[in-house]
Amino acid sequence: MEWQPDEQGLQQVLQLLKDSQSPDTATQRAVQEKLEQLNQFPDFNNYLIFVLTSLKSEDEPTRSLSGLILKNNVKAHYQNFPPTVADFIKRECLNNIGDPSPLIRATIGILITTIASKGELQTWPELLPQLCNLLNSDDYNTCEGSFGALQKICEDSSELLDSDALNRPLNIMIPKFLQFFKHCSPKIRSHAIACVNQFIIGRAQALMDNIDTFIESLFALAGDEDSEVRKNVCRALVMLLEVRIDRLIPHMHSIIQYMLQRTQDPDENVALEACEFWLTLAEQPICKEALSGHLVQLTPILVNGMKYSEIDIILLKGDVEEDEAVPDSEQDIKPRFHKSRTVTLQHEGGEGEEGEDIDDDDDDDDDTLSDWNLRKCSAAALDVLANVFREELLPHLLPLLKGLLFHPDWVIKESGILVLGAIAEGCMQGMVPYLPELIPHLIQCLCDKKALVRSIACWTLSRYAHWVVSQPPDTHLKPLMTELLKRILDGNKRVQEAACSAFATLEEEACTELVPYLSFILDTLVFAFGKYQHKNLLILYDAIGTLADSVGHHLNQDEYIQKLMPPLIAKWNELKDEDKDLFPLLECLSSVATALQSGFLPYCEPVYQRCVTLVQKTLAQAMMYSQQPDQYEAPDKDFMIVALDLLSGLAEGLGGHVDTLVARSNIMTLLFQCMQDTMPEVRQSSFALLGDLTKACFPHVKPCIAEFMPILGTNLNPEFISVCNNATWAIGEICMQMGVEMQPYIAMVLNQLVEIINRPNTPKTLLENTAITIGRLGYVCPQEVAPVLPQFIRPWCTSLRNIRDNEEKDSAFRGICMMIGVNPGGVVQDFIFFCDAVASWVNPKDDLRDMFYKILHGFKEQVGEENWQQFSEQFPPLLKERLAACYGV
């Protein structure tokens, strides 16, 4: 006997569905309680499916809601449904997939895929065959409903469908879907492509076997009048470009022609899918060859796509010029992530390089429209193509740019400024001749009456900051800085944000060039403090921190300290310990403390105490959470990481002055816990702080060395690059303080370090720090380290040849020389590398130069004049010259 609802029960369920559509929160709460009660009855779910599929007297939204509540129950408790209930629901779904209402069909489709993804594809064997069968129905609703359900199953379970677990149903499904590409209904054609598209990226075998039919069928749909079909065709071609470019190459010319058309599609969703094609193509080796002949068509299309659409302007409140007094809504503020300290060395020809982990976060200007749209995609495509074609792109762009940049309509002018910024990286060389007249024009655009023009001008100018700084300061740097500082105080929040970010980029490029203007810069940044709403304050901290990093100790003057510190400390006192706004403020203070050095002394005590408290509170909370996870919340460890990094900044900036602060706190005990934390970023920051405290006040560190060294040894694991890097650096600093007393600990760390320096694909920073530390260990304990000299001398020499002359390099090379003294045979095989490393010194100290001299001449005497001649024949000319000039060999 088929299940039948009881009239009274049905009325209860209907009442519940009516109540749950009420906006009143008290009613909503009652509904939740009632739901929990009803879920105790196994056949409650039968009522829900009955309302969805059979109770045609009810309105559609109520029936659909009944299905969605059932879907949530399936998600939460399906494993507890009695088999009779589960079977009833499955049967009802399949019998009603052709409901005349699109909303009800879609709801049933969602319900089917939810049951299927609960592991039920295996235990519901008739599902796929039945849905595929229903596709043949003459009734449009049945065909569309089944296809809708199949599309959702393909989206949710694509991997499972392509596995042996189900006996490879795709072998039947994919050829079946391909037949429907020719169906007379656009909705069904669109479903069919969407189903097949789910299997491209995973390279499903059944699709690969039918790949040519698939591609031909796509080409046949190229001119489809339905925009959803066109969108799915474009999406398929973009994915095939990544997965099966070999199959597209023979047709590439016509595909490109098609995509040029589609990128201008009147439907923006189609245009956006098509625009992705250029982004994907740019990553393929064939890009240059395939696109060269089409740049003349493609360039204007991309440029045209870079204009704000009318809807963008409405969403961006493009007509609101002044909004600085309007408080930010909290959801506008994106969560910030703190980037923990990594210790790096300075290189020849520049400051510490950031080669390893540049974050490309400067690529766009309007984050608030963070949804990907045609403007962003076109700009990104132009950016990557500029990087592929370099100067060859300019003949197609420059004629357009002139018309855009001076256009009377602000929307077009704005897009021209965006174009100029997008090509900055790829076409920089070719743009140089035009910059002397373009930069002043852009600086003028900073005063435009439209806020969106002012904000994009900030971004584009920041992309050319490197060139601006390379010119005499009065030519462009001074006017640019003056105008950007005015924009930092703009009445529009979006302009404030863009100007602050651009100014931070300018600071990084200009460094000490900014020193003459410090007073003026600080006046502006401090004034902005009183003016900014929440979101921009966070960006302002960043601009101040970057300024401190860029000008360094030049900031340490009373006049500057008096301007800068009071507002920072006022904010510091205002924020509670649990406020996440502490992150950017602590990062900023860390840079300021390092720059001010002794100038920070009057402020250091409360800052130091609070950092220690933050670490202590976080550790305590983590402890409580690990013991009683149901009682306590897991702490946000970022508080501890940022606090450790600021303590590092204090130790680095104040040096010996931190001694009394450390003496009066339990920081060493806390550090011992942090160094063993489960979270790599916590360990990373702890080792940085350990190294900085070792340099600043070793007497407080020394009593803990016996406990700390084994922990440092276990963290020499290159799986966690930054942790390993900072641990390596800290060992090197400890070693310099310990001297011969380091001897008992050498065995704990030496093998790991030698292994790391020989690992392929190890990042440069880690290699350099490892080499320095090995050299330092050899400097204090040559007898212990020299025996393994042949195992590391070659990578050691190659990783240190590009480092600037400095204290770290000095101590490491002294170590190598002492080890060669103990084990001269260890360097014989790789002596040319040692010669090259020695030649990388510009001015070694006299006694170090003597050490080099003795080793070089000793080797020459050892092998004899004739062998030395043969040996030195292998030297590159430059190396020969340097050794002859500096060491007479």
Side-chain angles (χ1 to χ4, degrees):
M1 174 61 196
E2 187 73 346
W3 178 88
Q4 284 298 323
D6 154 73
E7 192 46 47
Q8 197 188 349
L10 187 60
Q11 286 316 314
Q12 256 194 318
V13 172
L14 287 172
Q15 189 52 50
L16 179 75
L17 291 168
K18 288 277 179 287
D19 288 346
S20 67
Q21 293 173 55
S22 146
D24 174 53
T25 39
T27 315
Q28 284 297 338
R29 216 168 307 145
V31 167
Q32 280 312 318
E33 281 167 27
K34 185 79 177 153
L35 269 178
E36 277 163 31
Q37 278 170 11
L38 290 172
N39 266 319
Q40 305 309 309
F41 301 101
D43 70 346
F44 171 49
N45 293 303
N46 287 5
Y47 282 92
L48 292 173
I49 190 81
F50 178 81
V51 174
L52 172 66
T53 58
S54 311
L55 201 58
K56 315 269 171 159
S57 55
E58 279 302 316
D59 61 280
E60 286 179 16
T62 302
R63 288 172 59 201
S64 171
L65 181 66
S66 181
L68 294 175
I69 290 176
L70 175 55
K71 176 207 72 161
N72 290 339
N73 283 350
V74 167
K75 258 196 164 136
H77 322 289
Y78 188 71
Q79 62 288 358
N80 306 333
F81 283 21
T84 51
V85 173
D87 288 342
F88 180 63
I89 293 172
K90 290 177 184 175
R91 217 171 31 254
E92 284 295 296
C93 282
L94 283 174
N95 291 341
N96 292 281
I97 192 71
D99 192 283
S101 148
L103 177 65
I104 301 301
R105 289 200 300 273
T107 309
I108 294 173
I110 290 173
L111 188 53
I112 289 176
T113 187
T114 310
I115 295 172
S117 58
K118 274 293 185 189
E120 285 292 304
L121 269 176
Q122 282 98 321
T123 48
W124 190 359
E126 67 275 23
L127 172 65
L128 294 171
Q130 238 178 308
L131 286 175
C132 285
N133 240 346
L134 292 170
L135 296 182
N136 302 330
S137 163
D138 293 335
D139 172 44
Y140 168 79
N141 293 336
T142 304
C143 177
E144 196 279 325
S146 308
F147 239 136
L150 279 165
Q151 184 180 331
K152 294 184 181 85
I153 294 170
C154 292
E155 284 168 12
D156 293 343
S157 310
S158 61
E159 282 179 29
L160 186 59
L161 290 170
D162 187 32
S163 68
D164 287 328
L166 300 177
N167 212 348
R168 305 252 162 216
L170 290 185
N171 293 341
I172 297 159
M173 289 163 69
I174 285 195
K176 177 112 192 155
F177 294 154
L178 290 171
Q179 292 168 7
F180 283 87
F181 278 35
K182 300 187 176 60
H183 197 277
C184 59
S185 149
K187 185 97 170 97
I188 284 170
R189 292 197 299 275
S190 179
H191 277 313
I193 311 171
C195 284
V196 180
N197 281 358
Q198 295 306 319
F199 303 101
I200 300 177
I201 294 294
R203 299 170 198 250
Q205 195 50 51
L207 177 55
M208 294 301 131
D209 295 343
N210 289 282
I211 195 81
D212 292 328
T213 321
F214 176 43
I215 291 173
E216 280 160 35
S217 313
L218 286 173
F219 289 167
L221 292 174
D224 205 286
E225 77 286 349
D226 182 78
S227 63
E228 203 53 34
V229 172
R230 293 198 304 271
K231 186 175 99 177
N232 281 328
V233 170
C234 289
R235 183 172 289 175
L237 288 169
V238 171
M239 291 190 285
L240 286 167
L241 198 53
E242 280 185 51
V243 173
R244 287 307 301 263
I245 194 165
D246 56 313
R247 281 291 184 261
L248 298 186
I249 285 175
H251 316 283
M252 197 49 91
H253 181 79
S254 36
I255 294 176
I256 288 175
Q257 287 304 326
Y258 175 65
M259 285 300 189
L260 286 167
Q261 251 179 309
R262 289 287 70 80
T263 309
Q264 309 171 75
D265 200 282
D267 182 316
E268 176 165 342
N269 293 319
V270 179
L272 177 57
E273 283 298 336
C275 195
E276 294 280 355
F277 181 81
W278 314 113
L279 264 181
T280 305
L281 184 57
E283 286 165 11
Q284 306 297 328
I286 64 147
C287 175
K288 210 163 182 176
E289 183 191 347
L291 271 185
S292 286
H294 302 281
L295 286 180
V296 61
Q297 296 159 282
L298 175 58
T299 311
I301 294 173
L302 289 177
V303 167
N304 195 39
M306 288 164 76
K307 296 200 295 279
Y308 276 126
S309 65
E310 288 174 26
I311 194 100
D312 291 340
I313 295 172
I314 294 166
L315 288 172
L316 287 172
K317 308 193 172 64
D319 297 326
V320 177
E321 292 304 321
E322 276 207 22
D323 59 357
E324 63 175 347
V326 183
D328 295 328
S329 74
E330 285 310 304
Q331 64 264 34
D332 284 347
I333 297 171
K334 290 205 296 239
R336 282 187 41 119
F337 299 102
H338 171 68
K339 207 160 154 284
S340 315
R341 267 173 104 90
T342 310
V343 186
T344 52
L345 297 165
Q346 296 199 323
H347 291 75
E348 277 311 323
E351 294 305 311
E353 288 174 32
E354 303 251 330
E356 250 80 55
D357 48 12
I358 298 287
D359 335 329
D360 285 327
D361 52 2
D362 62 0
D363 248 20
D364 226 302
D365 47 300
D366 36 335
D367 316 336
T368 34
L369 265 195
S370 52
D371 341 344
W372 194 230
N373 56 24
L374 185 60
R375 166 187 166 92
K376 291 191 168 180
C377 190
S378 305
L382 190 61
D383 185 349
V384 291
L385 290 170
N387 275 299
V388 171
F389 285 97
R390 305 274 165 192
E391 285 60 65
E392 293 168 44
L393 192 62
L394 291 178
H396 308 290
L397 257 179
L398 290 172
L400 297 170
L401 259 175
K402 271 238 152 69
L404 299 173
L405 288 170
F406 298 92
H407 201 282
D409 177 350
W410 74 267
V411 176
I412 295 174
K413 176 173 166 180
E414 193 278 344
S415 73
I417 301 173
L418 173 59
V419 169
L420 201 51
I423 61 169
E425 193 186 351
C427 302
M428 181 59 87
Q429 282 322 102
M431 287 306 295
V432 165
Y434 307 98
L435 292 178
E437 58 177 303
L438 278 175
I439 296 295
H441 176 63
L442 286 171
I443 292 176
Q444 224 177 335
C445 294
L446 288 173
C447 314
D448 196 276
K449 59 178 198 303
K450 295 303 288 185
L452 288 171
V453 174
R454 299 197 298 277
S455 62
I456 197 66
C458 291
W459 178 72
T460 293
L461 280 160
S462 75
R463 302 267 289 176
Y464 289 96
H466 187 76
W467 181 83
V468 167
V469 171
S470 70
Q471 304 299 299
D474 284 356
T475 333
H476 303 294
L477 178 61
K478 207 171 164 185
L480 170 58
M481 194 179 54
T482 312
E483 282 311 313
L484 264 184
L485 288 170
K486 288 184 192 159
R487 292 293 67 83
I488 285 178
L489 303 179
D490 200 278
N492 179 281
K493 291 195 289 194
R494 163 180 292 282
V495 179
Q496 293 171 358
E497 176 183 1
C500 253
S501 301
F503 196 71
T505 305
L506 184 64
E507 290 169 338
E508 285 174 351
E509 291 290 350
C511 294
T512 48
E513 296 274 338
L514 297 179
V515 172
Y517 317 107
L518 266 174
S519 182
F520 182 38
I521 294 172
L522 286 169
D523 284 339
T524 305
L525 297 178
V526 168
F527 190 77
F529 251 107
K531 185 177 170 80
Y532 277 13
Q533 298 294 341
H534 187 177
K535 180 181 174 191
N536 287 350
L537 256 184
L538 306 182
I539 298 163
L540 180 62
Y541 293 140
D542 187 49
I544 291 172
T546 308
L547 179 67
D549 293 338
S550 304
V551 300
H553 64 89
H554 296 283
L555 199 56
N556 186 8
Q557 288 195 22
D558 276 352
E559 174 204 352
Y560 304 150
I561 296 174
Q562 288 317 312
K563 289 180 192 229
L564 181 59
M565 288 310 295
L568 283 176
I569 294 296
K571 279 287 173 220
W572 168 264
N573 292 331
E574 197 179 293
L575 293 175
K576 296 194 174 56
D577 279 351
E578 19 312 311
D579 193 326
K580 291 201 171 159
D581 284 5
L582 274 175
F583 298 169
L585 178 56
L586 283 158
E587 284 174 29
C588 167
L589 279 171
S590 179
S591 296
V592 170
T594 309
L596 289 185
Q597 297 172 349
S598 59
F600 198 77
L601 273 175
Y603 309 96
C604 66
E605 190 152 351
V607 172
Y608 179 90
Q609 290 309 342
R610 185 171 197 178
C611 287
V612 173
T613 307
L614 284 169
V615 173
Q616 203 156 6
K617 276 189 177 174
T618 313
L619 285 172
Q621 201 181 337
M623 178 78 79
M624 296 191 298
Y625 172 71
S626 68
Q627 288 163 358
Q628 299 172 290
D630 43 347
Q631 305 277 307
Y632 294 99
E633 276 190 27
D636 181 342
K637 288 188 179 170
D638 271 357
F639 283 105
M640 172 155 77
I641 296 167
V642 183
L644 289 166
D645 286 349
L646 176 45
L647 288 168
S648 278
L650 288 176
E652 194 184 330
L654 299 173
H657 296 294
V658 292
D659 193 293
T660 47
L661 296 170
V662 174
R664 289 196 306 238
S665 70
N666 60 341
I667 186 65
M668 299 317 294
T669 318
L670 299 174
L671 200 48
F672 182 63
Q673 290 172 268
C674 293
M675 287 163 52
Q676 299 175 77
D677 197 89
T678 48
M679 187 175 176
E681 289 79 3
V682 176
R683 301 200 302 277
Q684 176 184 338
S685 292
S686 321
F687 295 137
L689 176 56
L690 175 61
D692 283 316
L693 290 174
T694 298
K695 286 171 81 168
C697 54
F698 189 62
H700 295 295
V701 179
K702 194 171 180 184
C704 314
I705 290 298
E707 286 181 297
F708 284 6
M709 281 308 299
I711 300 173
L712 285 162
T714 41
N715 277 282
L716 296 177
N717 169 6
E719 292 306 297
F720 300 104
I721 292 290
S722 301
V723 179
C724 182
N725 179 67
N726 289 3
T728 303
W729 174 74
I731 292 167
E733 290 300 336
I734 288 170
C735 168
M736 294 309 286
Q737 300 287 342
M738 292 283 283
V740 284
E741 295 177 60
M742 193 67 185
Q743 195 256 328
Y745 306 109
I746 300 277
M748 290 179 186
V749 298
L750 184 58
N751 287 344
Q752 294 96 302
L753 293 169
V754 172
E755 211 168 297
I756 291 165
I757 204 167
N758 283 295
R759 255 175 103 245
N761 304 328
T762 303
K764 206 167 63 191
T765 305
L766 178 55
L767 280 178
E768 291 161 359
N769 274 319
T770 306
I772 295 276
T773 294
I774 291 175
R776 289 178 151 189
L777 290 168
Y779 177 60
V780 297
C781 300
Q783 297 294 342
E784 280 68 25
V785 186
V788 291
L789 193 57
Q791 294 173 35
F792 64 75
I793 183 73
R794 180 185 286 201
W796 191 94
C797 292
T798 46
S799 57
L800 289 186
R801 61 186 303 273
N802 296 324
I803 298 289
R804 285 197 186 173
D805 294 6
N806 62 21
E807 284 306 312
E808 285 159 319
K809 183 169 173 175
D810 179 272
S811 54
F813 270 84
R814 285 171 193 275
I816 260 317
C817 292
M818 292 172 73
M819 288 187 274
I820 293 174
V822 173
N823 179 11
V827 74
V828 172
Q829 289 300 304
D830 300 300
F831 199 69
I832 187 167
F833 290 93
F834 176 72
C835 296
D836 178 55
V838 165
S840 75
W841 277 87
V842 186
N843 307 316
K845 292 186 181 149
D846 291 342
D847 56 338
L848 181 59
R849 186 190 295 269
D850 288 342
M851 290 165 117
F852 292 158
Y853 184 90
K854 286 194 178 108
I855 292 173
L856 292 170
H857 280 270
F859 187 81
K860 185 175 171 178
E861 281 156 31
Q862 197 79 42
V863 297
E865 187 64 42
E866 194 179 331
N867 288 337
W868 176 263
Q869 281 312 319
Q870 278 181 320
F871 174 67
S872 59
E873 281 310 305
Q874 310 162 31
F875 291 177
L878 201 66
L879 175 56
K880 236 183 177 149
E881 276 169 46
R882 284 199 78 155
L883 289 178
C886 304
Y887 301 99
V889 290

